[in-house]
Amino acid sequence: MKDANTVVPFEKLIEQLPEHYTLADKELVQRAYRIAEEAHRGQKRHSGEPYINHCVAVAGILADLRVPPEVVVAGLLHDAVEDTLLTLEDIRRDFGDTVANLVNGVTKLTKLPRVSRGDQHKETGDEGGNGSKPLEEPEHPKSRKQDLKSETLRKTFLAMGEDVRVVLIKLADRLHNMRTLHHAPEEKQRRIAKETLDIFAPLANRLGIWQIKWELEDLAFRYVNPEKYKEIANQLSEKRPDREAQIEVIKDALVKLLARNNIHAEISGRPKHIYSIYKKMMKKGKPFDLVRDVRAVRLIVPDIPSCYAALGVIHTHWRPIPGEFDDYIAAPKDNFYQSLHTAVIYDDKRPLEVQIRTPEMHMNAEYGIASHWRYKEDGRISDKAYEDRINWLRSMMEWRSEVYDAQEFVEGMKTDVFQDRVYVFTPRGDIIDLAAGSTPIDFAYHVHTDIGHRCRGARVNGKLVPLYQELKTGDQVEILTAKRGGPSRDWLNPNLGLVKTQRARSKIKAWFKKQEVEQNLAQGRATIERELQRLGITGMNFDNIARDLGYKTPDELFIALGTGDLSISRVIRRFAETEESTDVLVAGTQAKETVSTDTIEVVGLKGLLSQMAKCCNPMPGDQIVGYITRGRGATIHRQDCPNILRLKDKERLLQVDWGKLERTYPIPIKVKAYDRQGLMGDISTLLDSEGVNIADVSVNFNRTLADLNLIVEVKNLDQLSRILTRIENLPNVLEAHRVRPG
Ligand code: MN
């Protein structure tokens, strides 16, 4: 513990703690440090430093945001559960629920799902081969690593809706990791930097924490585009002394000008960040030389009227550059940022950028969502603003529960949450806030899912527009709907650009999924009902048969039938095995169960004519014996038949047995067909091949139509179903079905 390496950063942390922290707060932080230091002892960072330095640094970044003590404590312990023997329960016992929950939140974010080397992962079949697919997806092909990473990001966003403090710790963690990224293995650097630029910097921006946002951007940009980074950095530092001198002169001039107009202002030069210069160069298509000229100052004035007053003074003194004025006080940015922005032509005929804001707006701009705790210590009321931000974040996440694919989720965050917004109006004048590039369909889904589904056209500012038209801030949008019907598959085609937001996409997909389910369900139900009708079955117990076949509900069984996962013959076969099916088969048939030597295999009588003896009338199940008659084959008697018992000539007795007991049921069926030669022959051949006896046949002709009425002796429903299907498939046959008795 007296190791100089670890003590020094910690002492710095204690100095960094907000001055309003009580002695008890500071002791709590100290205790957390001791426990974390002991737990991580022996662990090293890539740099070779003790691991605890990272924890202290993360806590320090949080302390600078002036978060409450429990968040700093959680920052110190943020890697303890994941990387040391310390458990969550230890932390809960020592530091209470709040800290434990925060640490748990961060741990859950960090921990990747452990997929054992196996293949329970997605099938790989859809990955490589399909060359027709445009390669515009940012990360392609999707690797498992990619999926896991996306999953972590997805969790980060989900956590944002749950507890924003967890996300602050995660951002502080990422910031320190970025600051020390040069120690990381090279192949990791670019990936982490890119992820930072794609996700974490926008996340910080969304939370309004400018301080973290710009630093993450500049740190990441250096790895993502090292040449450009160096180029801009070099040019900036070359001109720095010159620029700083100029800014001093400008500040002086401004203070004097404003004082003459009774406006008190604090003025600071505004350092330009490398990544923001790069973005500006990209956006304006200008080389650095032109961007470099832009000098920027920031005025902080006491209140909102002073903001506009200062703007007026500046605009009268120097010529404003057209198109450079933005009033973010009247219309705050979507991350709640407020300021006046303008640019003027300064005395030296070169541009000067000016931002004007109040101290409150300034704090908000620098610390965003974290400014909540600063106001709190001031005793100022800002819980409303905090609530607004949290609610806004939640509404951004509204669709999140419908997206399970991590990659899709992250892409959705990139478009729906991190992109610029447009503000459009409903016909009633309500403002709707949408991702930039949104179309009328996105708008429709935003207003109401059902309006989205029924959207068929749109009027923007009173004019009919195509559905792919991008909406602009200020547009008034009216959706033309159909009474019924749903979305078009085309809407999901990214090449048509009809839908921009993930929210709308999810809802469209859900609609199709539901349709499919409903269609399959209806189709499956129709299939089974048609078959039951053909078999003359009423009132099958679907609950039983569904359970027998391993489905939870009859609906699941119908869906499986509809999708083709289950065949109707399998259902009937299964049903035929039940007792219920025998009742159904026998129900209403006048004929009783018949037993004859034709249908009963009597083992041991091969080739002999046989008949049941009239004297004892043996029934299946009885003990039997055969008696060889003179010239009439064999007769079958019960073994206890008095005639047999009395018999002297035992040599004529033959050992016989009931073979497989087979009952048949005489079932009347009707076959409708266009009459043709040989039809009846085909039917009897078919029945013969099934081993089904025809007990009776009659035919009625009605012009070319023939109605065949047969009584077939079938073993069970399954057989009945099969022969009906086979008969229906004979040429010229229109239908074959059972004749309902009665
Ligand atoms: Mn960490």
Side-chain angles (χ1 to χ4, degrees), residues 45 51 54 58 78-79 173 177:
R45 297 271 291 169
Y51 196 91
H54 166 66
V58 168
H78 80 274
D79 279 328
D173 181 41
N177 286 336

Side-chain angles (χ1 to χ4, degrees), residues 65-81:
L65 291 175
R66 306 177 79 83
V67 294
E70 60 270 18
V71 184
V72 174
V73 166
L76 279 168
L77 295 165
H78 80 274
D79 279 328
V81 171

Side-chain angles (χ1 to χ4, degrees), residues 10-27:
F10 177 67
E11 279 169 357
K12 194 173 148 255
L13 171 64
I14 290 293
E15 283 165 23
Q16 260 172 304
L17 295 177
E19 51 289 356
H20 70 277
Y21 274 26
T22 63
L23 203 61
D25 292 340
K26 286 179 185 166
E27 273 170 16

Side-chain angles (χ1 to χ4, degrees), residues 20-93:
H20 70 277
Y21 274 26
T22 63
L23 203 61
D25 292 340
K26 286 179 185 166
E27 273 170 16
L28 191 71
V29 172
Q30 215 140 16
R31 195 148 57 81
Y33 168 77
R34 276 199 304 273
I35 287 177
E37 194 276 329
E38 196 185 313
H40 286 289
R41 198 172 294 166
Q43 295 176 358
K44 296 250 186 290
R45 297 271 291 169
H46 283 303
S47 59
E49 275 183 285
Y51 196 91
I52 186 68
N53 289 12
H54 166 66
C55 309
V56 172
V58 168
I61 292 166
L62 291 165
D64 283 344
L65 291 175
R66 306 177 79 83
V67 294
E70 60 270 18
V71 184
V72 174
V73 166
L76 279 168
L77 295 165
H78 80 274
D79 279 328
V81 171
E82 177 72 2
D83 295 341
T84 77
L85 296 174
L86 224 55
T87 68
L88 200 59
E89 287 325 302
D90 295 334
I91 292 176
R92 196 178 302 279
R93 193 190 54 233

